[in-house]
PDB file of all heavy atoms in Angstrom:
ATOM      1  N   SER B  65      79.423 106.579 108.531  1.00 98.00           N
ATOM      2  CA  SER B  65      78.825 105.253 108.595  1.00 98.00           C
ATOM      3  C   SER B  65      79.083 104.505 107.296  1.00 98.00           C
ATOM      4  O   SER B  65      79.291 105.120 106.246  1.00 98.00           O
ATOM      5  CB  SER B  65      77.325 105.345 108.863  1.00 98.00           C
ATOM      6  OG  SER B  65      76.674 106.036 107.822  1.00 98.00           O
ATOM      7  N   GLY B  66      79.093 103.176 107.386  1.00 98.00           N
ATOM      8  CA  GLY B  66      79.346 102.355 106.215  1.00 98.00           C
ATOM      9  C   GLY B  66      78.299 101.278 106.040  1.00 98.00           C
ATOM     10  O   GLY B  66      77.653 100.859 107.001  1.00 98.00           O
ATOM     11  N   SER B  67      78.152 100.834 104.798  1.00 98.00           N
ATOM     12  CA  SER B  67      77.211  99.772 104.485  1.00 98.00           C
ATOM     13  C   SER B  67      77.673  99.050 103.226  1.00 98.00           C
ATOM     14  O   SER B  67      78.631  99.463 102.570  1.00 98.00           O
ATOM     15  CB  SER B  67      75.798 100.344 104.277  1.00 98.00           C
ATOM     16  OG  SER B  67      75.790 101.233 103.177  1.00 98.00           O
ATOM     17  N   LYS B  68      76.972  97.962 102.911  1.00 98.00           N
ATOM     18  CA  LYS B  68      77.316  97.205 101.706  1.00 98.00           C
ATOM     19  C   LYS B  68      76.072  96.529 101.168  1.00 98.00           C
ATOM     20  O   LYS B  68      75.236  96.034 101.933  1.00 98.00           O
ATOM     21  CB  LYS B  68      78.377  96.149 102.026  1.00 98.00           C
ATOM     22  CG  LYS B  68      78.988  95.470 100.793  1.00 98.00           C
ATOM     23  CD  LYS B  68      79.936  94.346 101.176  1.00 98.00           C
ATOM     24  CE  LYS B  68      79.192  93.056 101.415  1.00 98.00           C
ATOM     25  NZ  LYS B  68      80.106  91.880 101.486  1.00 98.00           N
ATOM     26  N   SER B  69      75.970  96.493  99.839  1.00 97.00           N
ATOM     27  CA  SER B  69      74.914  95.755  99.167  1.00 97.00           C
ATOM     28  C   SER B  69      75.507  95.114  97.926  1.00 97.00           C
ATOM     29  O   SER B  69      75.969  95.816  97.021  1.00 97.00           O
ATOM     30  CB  SER B  69      73.755  96.685  98.767  1.00 97.00           C
ATOM     31  OG  SER B  69      72.761  95.970  98.063  1.00 97.00           O
ATOM     32  N   GLY B  70      75.517  93.801  97.908  1.00 97.00           N
ATOM     33  CA  GLY B  70      76.106  93.096  96.783  1.00 97.00           C
ATOM     34  C   GLY B  70      77.575  93.432  96.619  1.00 97.00           C
ATOM     35  O   GLY B  70      78.358  93.320  97.559  1.00 97.00           O
ATOM     36  N   ASN B  71      77.957  93.864  95.427  1.00 98.00           N
ATOM     37  CA  ASN B  71      79.353  94.177  95.138  1.00 98.00           C
ATOM     38  C   ASN B  71      79.710  95.641  95.366  1.00 98.00           C
ATOM     39  O   ASN B  71      80.795  96.084  94.982  1.00 98.00           O
ATOM     40  CB  ASN B  71      79.683  93.810  93.685  1.00 98.00           C
ATOM     41  CG  ASN B  71      79.573  92.321  93.412  1.00 98.00           C
ATOM     42  OD1 ASN B  71      79.663  91.503  94.326  1.00 98.00           O
ATOM     43  ND2 ASN B  71      79.361  91.972  92.149  1.00 98.00           N
ATOM     44  N   THR B  72      78.811  96.401  95.981  1.00 98.00           N
ATOM     45  CA  THR B  72      79.048  97.821  96.211  1.00 98.00           C
ATOM     46  C   THR B  72      78.966  98.174  97.691  1.00 98.00           C
ATOM     47  O   THR B  72      77.970  97.872  98.353  1.00 98.00           O
ATOM     48  CB  THR B  72      78.040  98.677  95.433  1.00 98.00           C
ATOM     49  OG1 THR B  72      78.189  98.444  94.026  1.00 98.00           O
ATOM     50  CG2 THR B  72      78.266 100.164  95.703  1.00 98.00           C
ATOM     51  N   ALA B  73      80.039  98.795  98.173  1.00 98.00           N
ATOM     52  CA  ALA B  73      80.062  99.317  99.530  1.00 98.00           C
ATOM     53  C   ALA B  73      79.874 100.828  99.470  1.00 98.00           C
ATOM     54  O   ALA B  73      80.128 101.454  98.435  1.00 98.00           O
ATOM     55  CB  ALA B  73      81.389  98.983 100.206  1.00 98.00           C
ATOM     56  N   SER B  74      79.449 101.399 100.581  1.00 98.00           N
ATOM     57  CA  SER B  74      79.186 102.842 100.619  1.00 98.00           C
ATOM     58  C   SER B  74      79.653 103.444 101.936  1.00 98.00           C
ATOM     59  O   SER B  74      79.544 102.807 102.989  1.00 98.00           O
ATOM     60  CB  SER B  74      77.698 103.130 100.445  1.00 98.00           C
ATOM     61  OG  SER B  74      77.222 102.678  99.198  1.00 98.00           O
ATOM     62  N   LEU B  75      80.152 104.661 101.842  1.00 98.00           N
ATOM     63  CA  LEU B  75      80.503 105.464 103.009  1.00 98.00           C
ATOM     64  C   LEU B  75      79.597 106.686 103.002  1.00 98.00           C
ATOM     65  O   LEU B  75      79.534 107.393 101.997  1.00 98.00           O
ATOM     66  CB  LEU B  75      81.961 105.901 102.956  1.00 98.00           C
ATOM     67  CG  LEU B  75      82.414 106.874 104.053  1.00 98.00           C
ATOM     68  CD1 LEU B  75      82.471 106.163 105.400  1.00 98.00           C
ATOM     69  CD2 LEU B  75      83.776 107.495 103.709  1.00 98.00           C
ATOM     70  N   THR B  76      78.896 106.914 104.095  1.00 98.00           N
ATOM     71  CA  THR B  76      78.043 108.082 104.223  1.00 98.00           C
ATOM     72  C   THR B  76      78.600 109.011 105.281  1.00 98.00           C
ATOM     73  O   THR B  76      78.963 108.566 106.378  1.00 98.00           O
ATOM     74  CB  THR B  76      76.602 107.684 104.588  1.00 98.00           C
ATOM     75  OG1 THR B  76      76.056 106.884 103.537  1.00 98.00           O
ATOM     76  CG2 THR B  76      75.726 108.912 104.786  1.00 98.00           C
TER      77      THR B  76
END
Side-chain angles (χ1 to χ4, degrees):
Chain B
S65 62
S67 62
K68 190 185 85 167
S69 177
N71 296 337
T72 298
S74 298
L75 174 71
T76 298

